[in-house]
């Protein structure tokens, strides 16, 4: 036999305690209400006499308790959900004050609340004599429980992104509130509702102070019966109390379990399947590109941070522009300005075609947006997520169904149509997010680092799919990333950003081969720098080889005594017989399969990275020589170390 463990002993203790202090007393109380003679016990015979007597004498108190609890619940829902939303979403001095105000009733005893109400409003006789007086006390007492429980759930959900996702699909505030915020706060609303209803039905202290002989409630009646030693009547009262509470508990559990059942049915994600690039299926929606222009769009945040310096950017209709740059350089801010999620500082303008949309909110801009964390609605299935924007726009049901089918087929996710979002893998979520954004036929598609959350293999295959999609849709697209590979693969135009401003803008080839400054050169792939002295006849490379000025574009104009030449590792040609322009010693050599990557030190002590053919072996310490064709060299003014 197994030795009793501590857990087993703890479980036994808890069961005994529950039995002794909860189940047995409650059971006894119910039986007393059903026994002919409470003092003789159940053996005296079961009867419904007391239950009937309570009903005939006190049914008004039962109805009153039910009425007060339901209206109190309604008030707490109507006031509590928006209050919780404000506390979570609008962090300000006012919401902090609201939060503190809502803690007060938890700290102040019910009797004190009742006393305050009596002193201040007891003079209004009609109010004092009506059940509304008790209701007011119950609302003050119960509201914090509703707000706290809803706010706790809302704080765990990324409400802001969900709301922005809904707004990008055309949903106004009220629609967003009712279709996204409330459903996603459901567990908090349910537990808050349960607390409010049970507290209100069973509240005694405050109610006892506020009631009049005409406004007795169930707990007051219960207390009176026990006080006058009518145990059987008091216990019959308890039965009514349970009759009110138990159906509500059951209903709440049923509502709550609907979510749990779906989560329990979760199937394992199948990312492996998605690792292969899947061609997008036809039919493709019609192209609907619109040119986008930003004119002097700067953004200063309320705390004084400069998110973006004045930016001028033109995106042609149907073009894909990639905003590329390190973290914090202002890419997302620029994208949010185009989306309408931020407004530019005064003087800035955002134009879609010839229309100035600067003051137009996102829900009226007809943009499609794909967020970094997808912003899919957890309360809706895959097909309902895709349908959301069409529904908000008021499309008829058959049209919506047709479009959803089209999107599911296009993104090859038809088999996922009825799944809930939490049952999807990262790659599948990304496809749903794309389908949802494209379903509404946006004028501009905005993608904010859509692949960042995925693993490298999946990122690569989805990147190819997005490329095919954007090319075939012919839609104007703005894609934000900090991944240079993604930018090169997707962009018709790449805009490299640094420190809130554009560092360079051009085709991927231009940016790669002719970086405008050291920042761009460094950011886009690996780059080597050669410190060179400038002579009358030419440019002296490290080691003494002289390049004629005419062989380098821009070199004729160089007046400084020194300059820096840039070249990419793959531009170096290792010369077999040692007669290259530059001699170097190998520091390390890594075999990468298709090539060798060498770290070498030059005669002036600087270090460079070179790519050499995979067909030859290199060893550290070996001396090599290499040449860089003049067309692969870019010139930067001034000297800087490698
Ligand atoms: N709401 C805000 N309030 C204050 N500062 C902000 C706010 N949003 C962004 N910033 C600041 O603005 C600058 C640009 O931010 P942005 O999010 O545009 O950068 P990013 O290039 O997209 O970075 P990442 O790749 O990390 O998302 C950063 O310094 C950031 O801290």
């Amino acid at each position: 036999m197994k030795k009793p463990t501590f857990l087993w002993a703890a479980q036994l203790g808890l069961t005994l305690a529950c039995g002794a202090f909860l189940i047995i007393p409650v059971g006894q109380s119910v039986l007393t209400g059903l026994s002919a003679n409470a003092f003789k016990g159940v053996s005296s015979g079961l009867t419904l006499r007391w239950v009937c007597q309570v009903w005939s004498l006190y049914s008004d108190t039962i109805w009153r308790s039910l009425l007060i609890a339901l209206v109190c619940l309604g008030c707490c829902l109507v006031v509590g959900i928006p209050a919780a939303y404000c506390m979570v979403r609008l962090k300000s001095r006012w919401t902090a004050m609201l939060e503190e105000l809502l803690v007060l009733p938890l700290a102040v005893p019910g009797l004190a609340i009742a006393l305050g109400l009596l002193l201040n409003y007891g003079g209004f006789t009609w109010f004092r004599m009506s059940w509304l007086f008790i209701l007011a006390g119950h609302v003050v007492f119960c509201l914090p429980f509703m707000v706290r429980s809803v706010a706790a759930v809302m704080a765990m959900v990324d409400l802001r992104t969900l709301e922005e996702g809904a707004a990008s699909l055309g949903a106004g505030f009220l629609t967003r509130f009712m279709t996204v915020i409330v459903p996603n706060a459901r567990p908090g609303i349910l537990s808050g509702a349960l607390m409010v209803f049970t507290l209100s039905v069973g509240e005694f202290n405050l109610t006892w102070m506020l009631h009049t002989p005409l406004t007795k409630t169930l707990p007051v009646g219960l207390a009176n019966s026990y006080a006058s030693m009518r145990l059987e009547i008091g216990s019959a009262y308890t039965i009514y109390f349970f009759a009110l509470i138990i159906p509500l508990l059951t209903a709440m559990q049923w509502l709550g379990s609907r979510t749990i059942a779906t989560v329990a049915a979760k199937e394992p994600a199948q990312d492996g399947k998605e690792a292969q690039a899947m061609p997008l299926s036809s039919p493709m929606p019609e192209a609907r590109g619109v040119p986008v222009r930003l004119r002097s769009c700067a953004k200063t945040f309320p705390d004084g941070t400069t998110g973006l310096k004045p930016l001028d950017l033109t995106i042609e209709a149907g073009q894909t522009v990639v905003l590329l740059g390190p973290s914090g350089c202002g890419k997302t801010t620029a994208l949010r300005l185009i989306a309408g999620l931020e407004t530019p500082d005064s003087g800035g303008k955002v134009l879609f075609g010839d229309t100035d949309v600067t003051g137009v909110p996102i829900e009226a801009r007809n943009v499609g947006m794909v967020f970094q964390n997808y912003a899919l609605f957890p309360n809706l299935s895959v097909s309902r997520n895709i349908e959301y924007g069409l529904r908000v726009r008021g499309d008829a049901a058959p049209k919506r169904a047709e479009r959803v089918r089209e999107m599911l087929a296009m993104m090859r996710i038809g088999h996922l149509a009825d799944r809930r979002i939490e049952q999807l893998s990262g790659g599948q979520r990304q496809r749903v997010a794309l389908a949802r954004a494209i379903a509404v036929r946006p004028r501009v598609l905005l993608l904010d680092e859509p692949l960042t959350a995925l693993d490298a293999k999946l990122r690569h295959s989805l990147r190819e799919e997005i490329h095919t999609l954007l090319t075939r849709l012919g839609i104007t697209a703005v894609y934000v990333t900090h991944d240079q590979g993604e930018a090169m693969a997707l962009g018709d135009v790449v805009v490299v950003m640094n420190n809130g401003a554009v560092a360079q803008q051009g085709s991927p080839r231009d940016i790669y081969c002719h970086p405008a400054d050291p920042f761009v050169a460094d950011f886009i792939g690996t780059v080597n720098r050669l410190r060179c002295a400038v002579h009358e006849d030419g440019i002296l490379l490290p080691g003494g080889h002289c390049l004629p000025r005419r062989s380098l574009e821009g070199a004729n104009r160089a007046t400084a005594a020194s300059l820096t030449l840039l070249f990419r590792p793959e531009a170096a040609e290792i010369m077999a017989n040692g007669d290259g322009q530059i001699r170097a010693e190998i520091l390390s050599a890594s075999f990468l399969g298709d090539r060798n990557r060498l770290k070498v030190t030059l005669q002036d002590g600087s270090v460079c990275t070179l790519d050499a053919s995979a067909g030859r072996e290199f060893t550290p310490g070996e001396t090599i020589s290499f040449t860089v064709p003049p067309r692969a060299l870019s010139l930067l003014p001034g000297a800087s170390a490698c």
Side-chain angles (χ1 to χ4, degrees):
M1 213 177 89
K2 259 190 176 176
K3 256 178 128 182
T5 59
F6 171 75
L7 195 66
W8 182 85
Q11 265 179 349
L12 182 66
L14 197 68
T15 313
L16 289 176
C18 279
F21 295 103
L22 186 69
I23 299 168
I24 294 174
V26 169
Q28 257 179 347
S29 175
V30 171
L31 281 175
T32 305
L34 297 172
S35 304
N37 185 338
F39 295 101
K40 283 193 178 170
V42 185
S43 58
S44 66
L46 292 174
T47 177
L48 287 175
R49 199 171 133 206
W50 314 124
V51 174
C52 296
Q53 203 170 333
V54 164
W55 184 253
S56 65
L57 290 174
Y58 306 114
S59 62
D60 61 325
T61 67
I62 295 166
W63 286 121
R64 191 171 299 115
S65 279
L66 184 63
L67 177 69
I68 292 175
L70 286 176
V71 180
C72 175
L73 175 59
C75 294
C76 288
L77 285 172
V78 170
V79 179
I81 299 174
Y85 171 79
C86 292
M87 266 166 51
V88 175
R89 262 306 254 123
L90 318 170
K91 294 260 176 233
S92 70
R93 206 180 313 150
W94 297 109
T95 54
M97 223 163 77
L98 175 73
E99 212 167 334
E100 277 162 26
L101 272 178
L102 283 167
V103 176
L104 270 184
L106 296 178
V108 178
L111 287 176
I113 297 174
L115 195 65
L117 286 172
L118 280 169
L119 289 174
N120 288 292
Y121 308 106
F124 300 100
T125 316
W126 69 268
F127 186 37
R128 173 78 183 89
M129 300 306 284
S130 104
W131 60 271
L132 292 174
F133 199 53
I134 298 173
L135 173 70
H138 280 204
V139 172
V140 173
F141 182 68
C142 297
L143 188 60
F145 292 92
M146 173 63 83
V147 177
R148 292 270 143 199
S149 116
V150 177
V153 172
M154 282 182 172
M156 290 190 304
V157 182
D158 186 359
L159 276 190
R160 179 182 136 164
T161 317
L162 287 184
E163 259 196 89
E164 289 180 351
S168 73
L169 295 163
F173 177 74
L174 209 60
T175 311
R176 298 200 293 265
F177 192 80
M178 295 313 293
T179 58
V180 174
I181 294 160
V182 169
N184 284 298
R186 192 174 66 165
I189 296 173
L190 285 180
S191 64
L194 191 64
M195 259 194 282
V196 167
F197 188 81
T198 47
L199 277 174
S200 178
V201 166
E203 211 299 317
F204 174 71
N205 288 349
L206 188 142
T207 318
W208 182 77
M209 291 272 286
L210 298 181
H211 87 280
T212 66
L214 294 176
T215 56
K216 269 190 190 172
T217 63
L218 203 151
V220 174
L222 190 71
N224 287 346
S225 305
Y226 280 130
S228 56
M229 287 307 282
R230 293 296 309 272
L231 294 191
E232 64 288 346
I233 294 288
S235 297
Y237 247 134
T238 313
I239 294 170
Y240 282 105
F241 189 83
F242 285 140
L244 289 182
I245 297 289
I246 287 171
L248 183 85
L249 272 176
T250 316
M252 297 279 178
Q253 264 182 344
W254 177 75
L255 278 173
S257 70
R258 284 185 12 177
T259 324
I260 294 159
T262 324
V263 175
K266 183 174 172 178
E267 286 174 21
Q270 294 180 341
D271 271 349
K273 257 193 190 171
E274 297 149 3
Q276 312 134 22
M278 285 190 262
L280 296 156
S281 81
S282 309
M284 303 299 291
E286 68 277 18
R288 277 171 49 103
V290 69
V292 174
R293 278 176 295 155
L294 298 183
R295 292 283 166 266
S296 303
C297 278
K299 179 69 194 174
T300 311
F301 290 102
D303 65 356
T305 310
T306 303
L308 199 64
K309 293 175 186 158
L311 171 71
D312 285 290
L313 183 66
T314 300
I315 304 163
E316 302 298 344
Q319 205 173 44
T320 299
V321 166
V322 178
L323 303 181
L324 174 71
S327 185
C329 70
K331 313 177 289 287
T332 302
T333 306
L335 190 85
R336 288 171 68 85
L337 284 173
I338 299 173
L341 290 168
E342 304 283 359
T343 43
D345 295 349
S346 74
K349 272 198 167 108
V350 182
L351 299 142
F352 281 9
D354 292 328
T355 316
D356 185 347
V357 294
T358 316
V360 178
I362 181 169
E363 56 265 34
R365 285 199 188 186
N366 193 11
V367 293
M369 193 145 177
V370 180
F371 295 81
Q372 190 172 344
N373 60 358
Y374 319 117
L376 295 170
F377 309 129
N379 57 311
L380 300 178
S381 67
V382 166
S383 51
R384 297 283 246 130
N385 260 277
I386 299 173
E387 190 202 28
Y388 185 88
L390 307 167
R391 189 180 275 268
V392 163
R393 278 155 212 240
D395 285 0
K399 199 171 154 199
R400 292 202 307 262
E402 175 58 31
R403 184 69 175 157
V404 170
R405 262 198 303 277
E406 209 176 292
M407 290 294 109
L408 288 169
M410 186 175 91
M411 300 309 295
R412 302 237 167 174
I413 47 173
H415 58 296
L416 305 174
D418 296 325
R419 290 247 190 120
R420 294 179 71 89
I421 300 307
E422 70 262 19
Q423 295 174 300
L424 303 180
S425 69
Q428 289 168 338
R429 286 176 202 210
Q430 196 48 264
R431 283 159 197 273
V432 178
L434 269 166
R436 188 183 71 170
I438 295 166
V440 293
R441 295 189 168 90
R443 291 194 288 176
V444 183
L445 183 62
L446 305 168
L447 304 107
D448 188 4
E449 309 210 27
L451 304 181
T452 305
L454 306 175
D455 65 57
K457 203 172 172 191
L458 191 54
R459 222 166 40 221
H460 197 266
S461 72
L462 270 174
R463 182 169 95 190
E464 285 174 16
E465 283 189 57
I466 292 177
H467 182 55
T468 316
L469 180 79
L470 295 179
T471 312
R472 289 173 65 184
L473 282 175
I475 198 169
T476 308
V478 184
Y479 190 106
V480 162
T481 183
H482 57 256
D483 182 314
Q484 167 231 328
E486 244 168 74
M488 303 296 247
L490 290 169
D492 296 319
V493 172
V494 176
V495 177
V496 185
M497 297 183 67
N498 185 23
N499 209 10
V502 173
Q504 190 178 357
Q505 173 178 343
S507 69
R509 183 177 291 276
D510 259 2
I511 302 252
Y512 189 79
C513 298
H514 304 291
D517 61 28
F519 168 79
V520 177
D522 274 336
F523 196 76
I524 308 270
T526 310
V527 72
N528 295 302
R529 296 171 186 192
L530 294 176
R531 253 188 328 229
C532 306
V534 181
H535 279 222
E536 251 179 43
D537 354 324
I539 293 160
L540 276 192
L541 298 178
H545 185 89
C546 185
L547 276 181
R549 278 179 178 242
R550 66 175 185 294
S551 63
L552 265 178
E553 202 186 316
N556 276 334
R557 295 189 298 275
T559 51
S562 68
L563 50 74
T564 302
L565 293 181
L566 305 179
F567 72 96
R568 302 282 179 189
E570 65 275 15
E573 290 169 13
I574 314 285
M575 309 305 278
N577 49 10
D579 55 3
Q581 297 163 342
I582 306 168
R583 288 173 73 78
E585 186 185 325
I586 298 178
L587 291 175
S588 68
S590 318
F591 178 65
L592 302 180
D594 59 339
R595 68 207 138 101
N596 283 295
R597 176 147 279 207
L598 311 177
K599 275 250 178 287
V600 300
T601 172
L602 309 188
Q603 278 165 310
D604 64 356
S606 54
V607 177
C608 288
T609 305
L610 311 178
D611 281 347
S613 105
R616 203 187 131 183
E617 275 191 39
F618 295 89
T619 46
E622 189 184 335
T623 302
I624 56 165
S625 79
F626 66 94
T627 294
V628 184
R631 68 186 140 70
L633 287 165
S634 307
L635 190 145
L636 281 183
S640 55
C642 284

